[in-house]
Amino acid sequence: MLPHVRANQQRQLQENKIRRAAAAADAAAADRRAHYNGINRDNQIRNNQDRRNLENEAALQLQQLQNVTDRRKAQLAAQELADRNEERQRRAPRVGARDQNVLWKLRKCSLKLQHVWDEHTPMTEWSGVTFGETGGPAEGRVVTLVLAYHGSLGLSGDKPGSLLAELDALEYLDLENCGLTSVPAALGDLTSLRYLCLRRNPKLKRVPENLLRLRERNASVQLDADVKIGWVIVKLANFVLRRK
């Protein structure tokens, strides 16, 4: 065989050997990469799972903490509400038996008051009725009675008038436009009364002279100009009081 032919064959054998070795190295490298990728993928899956487990555990702990906080808040809110109710009840005006009895009798005398003052509603919530503050000198007593603009209440008789006169702690009495035709003289003896309004009662033409006592005690008595106090016209009575 010629020398140059042999040399070519040897060179080709050497190149094939090199190519086979390179291919084997590439295959081995590919296997290693696949192996490492599989390991990394498994590790990533485990890491993701561990992270989700931690997040779920943290969320559960947060929910438990929130539940405890909510229960605590609910307990505090319930306690605060109970304290407010207790304080409200402590400060709520109490109704004295005497004035309570008077108001019930007064309600019985008037059909309109029976509609205005519901028997199923606490007396402390009756429209126009105010009781003295708890702990005050007028505790449990009616201090304000506003019956204005209810139309004819039927309070002109002797019995309703005498009932009003029994409310001796009364400071403010408004009977404007109530269809009055007369008022009891005993109202003048209410030493606590500071305001009395009898205006816009067209049928009320005369009031007892005893009401002058209220003005002598600097109480405000509101009357229409044509009403007589005893035999004295209101305008003249005002002049006489000013002269005093």
Side-chain angles (χ1 to χ4, degrees), residues 188-221:
D189 297 326
L190 295 178
T191 57
S192 298
L193 197 60
R194 295 291 175 264
Y195 179 89
L196 173 63
C197 183
L198 301 172
R199 285 182 173 176
R200 294 181 176 85
N201 289 290
K203 295 183 179 181
L204 183 64
K205 299 302 182 181
R206 186 186 301 271
V207 296
E209 188 176 352
N210 198 31
L211 292 188
L212 286 174
R213 294 184 180 181
L214 295 175
R215 292 195 169 183
E216 290 172 356
R217 292 194 294 269
N218 294 323
S220 175
V221 180

PDB file of all heavy atoms in Angstrom, residues 188-221:
ATOM      1  N   GLY A 188    -102.608  78.656  90.489  1.00  0.00           N
ATOM      2  CA  GLY A 188    -101.895  79.792  91.069  1.00  0.00           C
ATOM      3  C   GLY A 188    -101.117  79.429  92.316  1.00  0.00           C
ATOM      4  O   GLY A 188    -100.255  80.206  92.760  1.00  0.00           O
ATOM      5  N   ASP A 189    -101.416  78.273  92.899  1.00  0.00           N
ATOM      6  CA  ASP A 189    -100.716  77.849  94.113  1.00  0.00           C
ATOM      7  C   ASP A 189     -99.499  76.973  93.820  1.00  0.00           C
ATOM      8  O   ASP A 189     -98.834  76.520  94.752  1.00  0.00           O
ATOM      9  CB  ASP A 189    -101.684  77.075  95.021  1.00  0.00           C
ATOM     10  CG  ASP A 189    -102.846  77.946  95.484  1.00  0.00           C
ATOM     11  OD1 ASP A 189    -102.618  79.160  95.675  1.00  0.00           O
ATOM     12  OD2 ASP A 189    -103.964  77.405  95.636  1.00  0.00           O
ATOM     13  N   LEU A 190     -99.230  76.735  92.538  1.00  0.00           N
ATOM     14  CA  LEU A 190     -98.064  75.910  92.176  1.00  0.00           C
ATOM     15  C   LEU A 190     -96.808  76.766  92.297  1.00  0.00           C
ATOM     16  O   LEU A 190     -96.460  77.538  91.408  1.00  0.00           O
ATOM     17  CB  LEU A 190     -98.219  75.373  90.744  1.00  0.00           C
ATOM     18  CG  LEU A 190     -99.376  74.394  90.523  1.00  0.00           C
ATOM     19  CD1 LEU A 190     -99.441  73.973  89.057  1.00  0.00           C
ATOM     20  CD2 LEU A 190     -99.237  73.169  91.411  1.00  0.00           C
ATOM     21  N   THR A 191     -96.128  76.627  93.408  1.00  0.00           N
ATOM     22  CA  THR A 191     -94.990  77.512  93.706  1.00  0.00           C
ATOM     23  C   THR A 191     -93.790  77.256  92.800  1.00  0.00           C
ATOM     24  O   THR A 191     -92.922  78.124  92.660  1.00  0.00           O
ATOM     25  CB  THR A 191     -94.562  77.332  95.174  1.00  0.00           C
ATOM     26  OG1 THR A 191     -94.253  75.953  95.410  1.00  0.00           O
ATOM     27  CG2 THR A 191     -95.680  77.763  96.113  1.00  0.00           C
ATOM     28  N   SER A 192     -93.721  76.089  92.181  1.00  0.00           N
ATOM     29  CA  SER A 192     -92.583  75.788  91.303  1.00  0.00           C
ATOM     30  C   SER A 192     -92.818  76.253  89.873  1.00  0.00           C
ATOM     31  O   SER A 192     -91.889  76.276  89.066  1.00  0.00           O
ATOM     32  CB  SER A 192     -92.302  74.278  91.298  1.00  0.00           C
ATOM     33  OG  SER A 192     -91.942  73.816  92.576  1.00  0.00           O
ATOM     34  N   LEU A 193     -94.051  76.611  89.548  1.00  0.00           N
ATOM     35  CA  LEU A 193     -94.395  76.937  88.162  1.00  0.00           C
ATOM     36  C   LEU A 193     -93.728  78.251  87.742  1.00  0.00           C
ATOM     37  O   LEU A 193     -93.876  79.276  88.410  1.00  0.00           O
ATOM     38  CB  LEU A 193     -95.913  77.053  88.015  1.00  0.00           C
ATOM     39  CG  LEU A 193     -96.467  76.989  86.588  1.00  0.00           C
ATOM     40  CD1 LEU A 193     -96.115  75.670  85.925  1.00  0.00           C
ATOM     41  CD2 LEU A 193     -97.976  77.185  86.597  1.00  0.00           C
ATOM     42  N   ARG A 194     -92.972  78.175  86.634  1.00  0.00           N
ATOM     43  CA  ARG A 194     -92.281  79.357  86.122  1.00  0.00           C
ATOM     44  C   ARG A 194     -92.820  79.803  84.763  1.00  0.00           C
ATOM     45  O   ARG A 194     -92.508  80.891  84.294  1.00  0.00           O
ATOM     46  CB  ARG A 194     -90.772  79.057  85.987  1.00  0.00           C
ATOM     47  CG  ARG A 194     -90.094  78.805  87.320  1.00  0.00           C
ATOM     48  CD  ARG A 194     -90.030  80.081  88.142  1.00  0.00           C
ATOM     49  NE  ARG A 194     -89.492  79.863  89.479  1.00  0.00           N
ATOM     50  CZ  ARG A 194     -90.216  79.684  90.553  1.00  0.00           C
ATOM     51  NH1 ARG A 194     -91.553  79.675  90.455  1.00  0.00           N
ATOM     52  NH2 ARG A 194     -89.684  79.489  91.740  1.00  0.00           N
ATOM     53  N   TYR A 195     -93.612  78.945  84.126  1.00  0.00           N
ATOM     54  CA  TYR A 195     -94.151  79.294  82.808  1.00  0.00           C
ATOM     55  C   TYR A 195     -95.505  78.628  82.651  1.00  0.00           C
ATOM     56  O   TYR A 195     -95.647  77.417  82.871  1.00  0.00           O
ATOM     57  CB  TYR A 195     -93.201  78.833  81.694  1.00  0.00           C
ATOM     58  CG  TYR A 195     -93.697  79.142  80.299  1.00  0.00           C
ATOM     59  CD1 TYR A 195     -93.400  80.351  79.686  1.00  0.00           C
ATOM     60  CD2 TYR A 195     -94.462  78.213  79.587  1.00  0.00           C
ATOM     61  CE1 TYR A 195     -93.860  80.637  78.399  1.00  0.00           C
ATOM     62  CE2 TYR A 195     -94.923  78.494  78.313  1.00  0.00           C
ATOM     63  CZ  TYR A 195     -94.615  79.702  77.716  1.00  0.00           C
ATOM     64  OH  TYR A 195     -95.069  79.992  76.455  1.00  0.00           O
ATOM     65  N   LEU A 196     -96.492  79.438  82.263  1.00  0.00           N
ATOM     66  CA  LEU A 196     -97.839  78.924  82.002  1.00  0.00           C
ATOM     67  C   LEU A 196     -98.356  79.601  80.741  1.00  0.00           C
ATOM     68  O   LEU A 196     -98.432  80.827  80.667  1.00  0.00           O
ATOM     69  CB  LEU A 196     -98.772  79.217  83.177  1.00  0.00           C
ATOM     70  CG  LEU A 196    -100.254  78.884  82.953  1.00  0.00           C
ATOM     71  CD1 LEU A 196    -100.447  77.388  82.719  1.00  0.00           C
ATOM     72  CD2 LEU A 196    -101.088  79.350  84.143  1.00  0.00           C
ATOM     73  N   CYS A 197     -98.711  78.786  79.744  1.00  0.00           N
ATOM     74  CA  CYS A 197     -99.229  79.339  78.493  1.00  0.00           C
ATOM     75  C   CYS A 197    -100.659  78.861  78.285  1.00  0.00           C
ATOM     76  O   CYS A 197    -100.934  77.651  78.265  1.00  0.00           O
ATOM     77  CB  CYS A 197     -98.355  78.898  77.306  1.00  0.00           C
ATOM     78  SG  CYS A 197     -98.894  79.615  75.737  1.00  0.00           S
ATOM     79  N   LEU A 198    -101.581  79.841  78.150  1.00  0.00           N
ATOM     80  CA  LEU A 198    -102.999  79.539  77.932  1.00  0.00           C
ATOM     81  C   LEU A 198    -103.507  80.214  76.664  1.00  0.00           C
ATOM     82  O   LEU A 198    -104.706  80.399  76.492  1.00  0.00           O
ATOM     83  CB  LEU A 198    -103.816  80.015  79.137  1.00  0.00           C
ATOM     84  CG  LEU A 198    -103.446  79.397  80.493  1.00  0.00           C
ATOM     85  CD1 LEU A 198    -104.199  80.086  81.619  1.00  0.00           C
ATOM     86  CD2 LEU A 198    -103.731  77.900  80.503  1.00  0.00           C
ATOM     87  N   ARG A 199    -102.617  80.574  75.776  1.00  0.00           N
ATOM     88  CA  ARG A 199    -103.006  81.304  74.571  1.00  0.00           C
ATOM     89  C   ARG A 199    -103.762  80.419  73.583  1.00  0.00           C
ATOM     90  O   ARG A 199    -103.704  79.198  73.635  1.00  0.00           O
ATOM     91  CB  ARG A 199    -101.763  81.872  73.890  1.00  0.00           C
ATOM     92  CG  ARG A 199    -101.176  83.086  74.598  1.00  0.00           C
ATOM     93  CD  ARG A 199     -99.982  83.615  73.854  1.00  0.00           C
ATOM     94  NE  ARG A 199     -99.515  84.877  74.440  1.00  0.00           N
ATOM     95  CZ  ARG A 199     -98.430  85.511  74.031  1.00  0.00           C
ATOM     96  NH1 ARG A 199     -97.700  85.012  73.051  1.00  0.00           N
ATOM     97  NH2 ARG A 199     -98.060  86.643  74.612  1.00  0.00           N
ATOM     98  N   ARG A 200    -104.471  81.127  72.658  1.00  0.00           N
ATOM     99  CA  ARG A 200    -105.189  80.485  71.547  1.00  0.00           C
ATOM    100  C   ARG A 200    -106.195  79.452  72.034  1.00  0.00           C
ATOM    101  O   ARG A 200    -106.331  78.375  71.467  1.00  0.00           O
ATOM    102  CB  ARG A 200    -104.196  79.856  70.554  1.00  0.00           C
ATOM    103  CG  ARG A 200    -103.353  80.890  69.834  1.00  0.00           C
ATOM    104  CD  ARG A 200    -102.404  80.239  68.833  1.00  0.00           C
ATOM    105  NE  ARG A 200    -101.672  81.262  68.098  1.00  0.00           N
ATOM    106  CZ  ARG A 200    -100.551  81.841  68.534  1.00  0.00           C
ATOM    107  NH1 ARG A 200    -100.047  81.488  69.704  1.00  0.00           N
ATOM    108  NH2 ARG A 200     -99.947  82.767  67.819  1.00  0.00           N
ATOM    109  N   ASN A 201    -106.898  79.823  73.094  1.00  0.00           N
ATOM    110  CA  ASN A 201    -108.048  79.062  73.557  1.00  0.00           C
ATOM    111  C   ASN A 201    -109.244  80.010  73.484  1.00  0.00           C
ATOM    112  O   ASN A 201    -109.566  80.699  74.458  1.00  0.00           O
ATOM    113  CB  ASN A 201    -107.833  78.554  74.988  1.00  0.00           C
ATOM    114  CG  ASN A 201    -106.796  77.453  75.053  1.00  0.00           C
ATOM    115  OD1 ASN A 201    -107.015  76.335  74.601  1.00  0.00           O
ATOM    116  ND2 ASN A 201    -105.631  77.777  75.615  1.00  0.00           N
ATOM    117  N   PRO A 202    -109.899  80.100  72.324  1.00  0.00           N
ATOM    118  CA  PRO A 202    -110.908  81.153  72.091  1.00  0.00           C
ATOM    119  C   PRO A 202    -112.054  81.152  73.103  1.00  0.00           C
ATOM    120  O   PRO A 202    -112.627  82.215  73.382  1.00  0.00           O
ATOM    121  CB  PRO A 202    -111.426  80.833  70.682  1.00  0.00           C
ATOM    122  CG  PRO A 202    -110.347  80.014  70.045  1.00  0.00           C
ATOM    123  CD  PRO A 202    -109.712  79.238  71.152  1.00  0.00           C
ATOM    124  N   LYS A 203    -112.399  80.003  73.637  1.00  0.00           N
ATOM    125  CA  LYS A 203    -113.517  79.927  74.572  1.00  0.00           C
ATOM    126  C   LYS A 203    -113.110  80.273  76.000  1.00  0.00           C
ATOM    127  O   LYS A 203    -113.976  80.332  76.887  1.00  0.00           O
ATOM    128  CB  LYS A 203    -114.128  78.532  74.530  1.00  0.00           C
ATOM    129  CG  LYS A 203    -114.770  78.193  73.186  1.00  0.00           C
ATOM    130  CD  LYS A 203    -115.421  76.825  73.210  1.00  0.00           C
ATOM    131  CE  LYS A 203    -116.066  76.504  71.873  1.00  0.00           C
ATOM    132  NZ  LYS A 203    -116.720  75.165  71.893  1.00  0.00           N
ATOM    133  N   LEU A 204    -111.844  80.495  76.206  1.00  0.00           N
ATOM    134  CA  LEU A 204    -111.364  80.868  77.539  1.00  0.00           C
ATOM    135  C   LEU A 204    -111.430  82.391  77.651  1.00  0.00           C
ATOM    136  O   LEU A 204    -110.596  83.113  77.102  1.00  0.00           O
ATOM    137  CB  LEU A 204    -109.928  80.377  77.743  1.00  0.00           C
ATOM    138  CG  LEU A 204    -109.314  80.642  79.119  1.00  0.00           C
ATOM    139  CD1 LEU A 204    -110.080  79.887  80.198  1.00  0.00           C
ATOM    140  CD2 LEU A 204    -107.845  80.235  79.123  1.00  0.00           C
ATOM    141  N   LYS A 205    -112.410  82.898  78.367  1.00  0.00           N
ATOM    142  CA  LYS A 205    -112.625  84.339  78.475  1.00  0.00           C
ATOM    143  C   LYS A 205    -112.234  84.881  79.840  1.00  0.00           C
ATOM    144  O   LYS A 205    -112.040  86.082  79.991  1.00  0.00           O
ATOM    145  CB  LYS A 205    -114.096  84.670  78.214  1.00  0.00           C
ATOM    146  CG  LYS A 205    -114.582  84.273  76.827  1.00  0.00           C
ATOM    147  CD  LYS A 205    -113.762  84.940  75.727  1.00  0.00           C
ATOM    148  CE  LYS A 205    -114.266  84.587  74.347  1.00  0.00           C
ATOM    149  NZ  LYS A 205    -113.450  85.229  73.271  1.00  0.00           N
ATOM    150  N   ARG A 206    -112.110  84.010  80.823  1.00  0.00           N
ATOM    151  CA  ARG A 206    -111.796  84.475  82.170  1.00  0.00           C
ATOM    152  C   ARG A 206    -110.972  83.397  82.875  1.00  0.00           C
ATOM    153  O   ARG A 206    -111.238  82.205  82.732  1.00  0.00           O
ATOM    154  CB  ARG A 206    -113.072  84.748  82.953  1.00  0.00           C
ATOM    155  CG  ARG A 206    -112.861  85.375  84.332  1.00  0.00           C
ATOM    156  CD  ARG A 206    -114.198  85.447  85.072  1.00  0.00           C
ATOM    157  NE  ARG A 206    -115.184  86.238  84.340  1.00  0.00           N
ATOM    158  CZ  ARG A 206    -115.313  87.541  84.490  1.00  0.00           C
ATOM    159  NH1 ARG A 206    -114.559  88.205  85.336  1.00  0.00           N
ATOM    160  NH2 ARG A 206    -116.235  88.181  83.805  1.00  0.00           N
ATOM    161  N   VAL A 207    -109.959  83.841  83.604  1.00  0.00           N
ATOM    162  CA  VAL A 207    -109.159  82.913  84.410  1.00  0.00           C
ATOM    163  C   VAL A 207    -109.204  83.399  85.854  1.00  0.00           C
ATOM    164  O   VAL A 207    -109.436  84.590  86.119  1.00  0.00           O
ATOM    165  CB  VAL A 207    -107.692  82.838  83.907  1.00  0.00           C
ATOM    166  CG1 VAL A 207    -107.625  82.263  82.512  1.00  0.00           C
ATOM    167  CG2 VAL A 207    -107.019  84.197  83.972  1.00  0.00           C
ATOM    168  N   PRO A 208    -109.002  82.504  86.805  1.00  0.00           N
ATOM    169  CA  PRO A 208    -109.110  82.901  88.217  1.00  0.00           C
ATOM    170  C   PRO A 208    -108.096  83.970  88.599  1.00  0.00           C
ATOM    171  O   PRO A 208    -106.973  84.014  88.095  1.00  0.00           O
ATOM    172  CB  PRO A 208    -108.841  81.593  88.972  1.00  0.00           C
ATOM    173  CG  PRO A 208    -109.116  80.520  87.986  1.00  0.00           C
ATOM    174  CD  PRO A 208    -108.736  81.063  86.656  1.00  0.00           C
ATOM    175  N   GLU A 209    -108.523  84.828  89.473  1.00  0.00           N
ATOM    176  CA  GLU A 209    -107.647  85.889  89.971  1.00  0.00           C
ATOM    177  C   GLU A 209    -106.425  85.316  90.675  1.00  0.00           C
ATOM    178  O   GLU A 209    -105.378  85.963  90.765  1.00  0.00           O
ATOM    179  CB  GLU A 209    -108.438  86.795  90.925  1.00  0.00           C
ATOM    180  CG  GLU A 209    -107.697  88.034  91.358  1.00  0.00           C
ATOM    181  CD  GLU A 209    -108.575  88.922  92.216  1.00  0.00           C
ATOM    182  OE1 GLU A 209    -109.784  88.625  92.334  1.00  0.00           O
ATOM    183  OE2 GLU A 209    -108.047  89.900  92.756  1.00  0.00           O
ATOM    184  N   ASN A 210    -106.559  84.076  91.131  1.00  0.00           N
ATOM    185  CA  ASN A 210    -105.457  83.429  91.840  1.00  0.00           C
ATOM    186  C   ASN A 210    -104.213  83.300  90.964  1.00  0.00           C
ATOM    187  O   ASN A 210    -103.093  83.173  91.469  1.00  0.00           O
ATOM    188  CB  ASN A 210    -105.906  82.039  92.320  1.00  0.00           C
ATOM    189  CG  ASN A 210    -105.002  81.498  93.402  1.00  0.00           C
ATOM    190  OD1 ASN A 210    -104.440  82.249  94.194  1.00  0.00           O
ATOM    191  ND2 ASN A 210    -104.848  80.181  93.438  1.00  0.00           N
ATOM    192  N   LEU A 211    -104.377  83.343  89.622  1.00  0.00           N
ATOM    193  CA  LEU A 211    -103.219  83.228  88.728  1.00  0.00           C
ATOM    194  C   LEU A 211    -102.301  84.437  88.831  1.00  0.00           C
ATOM    195  O   LEU A 211    -101.156  84.389  88.382  1.00  0.00           O
ATOM    196  CB  LEU A 211    -103.686  83.044  87.278  1.00  0.00           C
ATOM    197  CG  LEU A 211    -104.385  81.725  86.948  1.00  0.00           C
ATOM    198  CD1 LEU A 211    -104.609  81.605  85.453  1.00  0.00           C
ATOM    199  CD2 LEU A 211    -103.595  80.528  87.452  1.00  0.00           C
ATOM    200  N   LEU A 212    -102.823  85.549  89.408  1.00  0.00           N
ATOM    201  CA  LEU A 212    -101.947  86.712  89.608  1.00  0.00           C
ATOM    202  C   LEU A 212    -100.781  86.371  90.538  1.00  0.00           C
ATOM    203  O   LEU A 212     -99.729  87.004  90.477  1.00  0.00           O
ATOM    204  CB  LEU A 212    -102.753  87.875  90.185  1.00  0.00           C
ATOM    205  CG  LEU A 212    -103.690  88.601  89.213  1.00  0.00           C
ATOM    206  CD1 LEU A 212    -104.525  89.624  89.962  1.00  0.00           C
ATOM    207  CD2 LEU A 212    -102.887  89.261  88.102  1.00  0.00           C
ATOM    208  N   ARG A 213    -100.973  85.387  91.387  1.00  0.00           N
ATOM    209  CA  ARG A 213     -99.893  84.984  92.282  1.00  0.00           C
ATOM    210  C   ARG A 213     -98.670  84.502  91.497  1.00  0.00           C
ATOM    211  O   ARG A 213     -97.538  84.693  91.930  1.00  0.00           O
ATOM    212  CB  ARG A 213    -100.370  83.874  93.222  1.00  0.00           C
ATOM    213  CG  ARG A 213    -101.442  84.298  94.208  1.00  0.00           C
ATOM    214  CD  ARG A 213    -101.769  83.152  95.138  1.00  0.00           C
ATOM    215  NE  ARG A 213    -102.806  83.513  96.105  1.00  0.00           N
ATOM    216  CZ  ARG A 213    -103.264  82.695  97.047  1.00  0.00           C
ATOM    217  NH1 ARG A 213    -102.763  81.459  97.140  1.00  0.00           N
ATOM    218  NH2 ARG A 213    -104.194  83.090  97.887  1.00  0.00           N
ATOM    219  N   LEU A 214     -98.944  83.860  90.362  1.00  0.00           N
ATOM    220  CA  LEU A 214     -97.821  83.399  89.542  1.00  0.00           C
ATOM    221  C   LEU A 214     -96.996  84.578  89.051  1.00  0.00           C
ATOM    222  O   LEU A 214     -95.766  84.545  89.081  1.00  0.00           O
ATOM    223  CB  LEU A 214     -98.346  82.588  88.345  1.00  0.00           C
ATOM    224  CG  LEU A 214     -99.058  81.275  88.676  1.00  0.00           C
ATOM    225  CD1 LEU A 214     -99.620  80.645  87.413  1.00  0.00           C
ATOM    226  CD2 LEU A 214     -98.095  80.303  89.358  1.00  0.00           C
ATOM    227  N   ARG A 215     -97.672  85.627  88.606  1.00  0.00           N
ATOM    228  CA  ARG A 215     -96.936  86.790  88.120  1.00  0.00           C
ATOM    229  C   ARG A 215     -96.230  87.521  89.261  1.00  0.00           C
ATOM    230  O   ARG A 215     -95.165  88.106  89.064  1.00  0.00           O
ATOM    231  CB  ARG A 215     -97.885  87.731  87.377  1.00  0.00           C
ATOM    232  CG  ARG A 215     -98.390  87.130  86.074  1.00  0.00           C
ATOM    233  CD  ARG A 215     -99.016  88.150  85.179  1.00  0.00           C
ATOM    234  NE  ARG A 215     -99.265  87.608  83.846  1.00  0.00           N
ATOM    235  CZ  ARG A 215     -99.756  88.322  82.848  1.00  0.00           C
ATOM    236  NH1 ARG A 215    -100.051  89.600  83.039  1.00  0.00           N
ATOM    237  NH2 ARG A 215     -99.961  87.769  81.666  1.00  0.00           N
ATOM    238  N   GLU A 216     -96.816  87.464  90.421  1.00  0.00           N
ATOM    239  CA  GLU A 216     -96.141  88.078  91.577  1.00  0.00           C
ATOM    240  C   GLU A 216     -94.856  87.331  91.915  1.00  0.00           C
ATOM    241  O   GLU A 216     -93.944  87.905  92.510  1.00  0.00           O
ATOM    242  CB  GLU A 216     -97.094  88.084  92.782  1.00  0.00           C
ATOM    243  CG  GLU A 216     -98.265  89.053  92.625  1.00  0.00           C
ATOM    244  CD  GLU A 216     -99.274  88.887  93.746  1.00  0.00           C
ATOM    245  OE1 GLU A 216     -99.089  87.973  94.574  1.00  0.00           O
ATOM    246  OE2 GLU A 216    -100.245  89.676  93.785  1.00  0.00           O
ATOM    247  N   ARG A 217     -94.804  86.050  91.545  1.00  0.00           N
ATOM    248  CA  ARG A 217     -93.579  85.271  91.766  1.00  0.00           C
ATOM    249  C   ARG A 217     -92.692  85.292  90.529  1.00  0.00           C
ATOM    250  O   ARG A 217     -91.808  84.450  90.377  1.00  0.00           O
ATOM    251  CB  ARG A 217     -93.944  83.823  92.121  1.00  0.00           C
ATOM    252  CG  ARG A 217     -94.631  83.692  93.472  1.00  0.00           C
ATOM    253  CD  ARG A 217     -94.646  82.234  93.920  1.00  0.00           C
ATOM    254  NE  ARG A 217     -95.464  81.386  93.076  1.00  0.00           N
ATOM    255  CZ  ARG A 217     -96.757  81.137  93.301  1.00  0.00           C
ATOM    256  NH1 ARG A 217     -97.368  81.697  94.344  1.00  0.00           N
ATOM    257  NH2 ARG A 217     -97.439  80.349  92.493  1.00  0.00           N
ATOM    258  N   ASN A 218     -92.931  86.243  89.631  1.00  0.00           N
ATOM    259  CA  ASN A 218     -92.149  86.435  88.409  1.00  0.00           C
ATOM    260  C   ASN A 218     -92.273  85.266  87.432  1.00  0.00           C
ATOM    261  O   ASN A 218     -91.377  85.045  86.610  1.00  0.00           O
ATOM    262  CB  ASN A 218     -90.663  86.674  88.734  1.00  0.00           C
ATOM    263  CG  ASN A 218     -90.442  87.970  89.478  1.00  0.00           C
ATOM    264  OD1 ASN A 218     -91.109  88.970  89.204  1.00  0.00           O
ATOM    265  ND2 ASN A 218     -89.535  87.952  90.448  1.00  0.00           N
ATOM    266  N   ALA A 219     -93.349  84.517  87.538  1.00  0.00           N
ATOM    267  CA  ALA A 219     -93.599  83.469  86.549  1.00  0.00           C
ATOM    268  C   ALA A 219     -94.171  84.104  85.287  1.00  0.00           C
ATOM    269  O   ALA A 219     -94.833  85.135  85.333  1.00  0.00           O
ATOM    270  CB  ALA A 219     -94.569  82.426  87.101  1.00  0.00           C
ATOM    271  N   SER A 220     -93.886  83.473  84.146  1.00  0.00           N
ATOM    272  CA  SER A 220     -94.400  83.972  82.872  1.00  0.00           C
ATOM    273  C   SER A 220     -95.751  83.328  82.603  1.00  0.00           C
ATOM    274  O   SER A 220     -95.862  82.107  82.463  1.00  0.00           O
ATOM    275  CB  SER A 220     -93.422  83.626  81.745  1.00  0.00           C
ATOM    276  OG  SER A 220     -93.947  83.993  80.499  1.00  0.00           O
ATOM    277  N   VAL A 221     -96.813  84.173  82.538  1.00  0.00           N
ATOM    278  CA  VAL A 221     -98.163  83.700  82.257  1.00  0.00           C
ATOM    279  C   VAL A 221     -98.582  84.276  80.917  1.00  0.00           C
ATOM    280  O   VAL A 221     -98.728  85.496  80.769  1.00  0.00           O
ATOM    281  CB  VAL A 221     -99.152  84.119  83.363  1.00  0.00           C
ATOM    282  CG1 VAL A 221    -100.548  83.599  83.036  1.00  0.00           C
ATOM    283  CG2 VAL A 221     -98.693  83.606  84.714  1.00  0.00           C
TER     284      VAL A 221
END
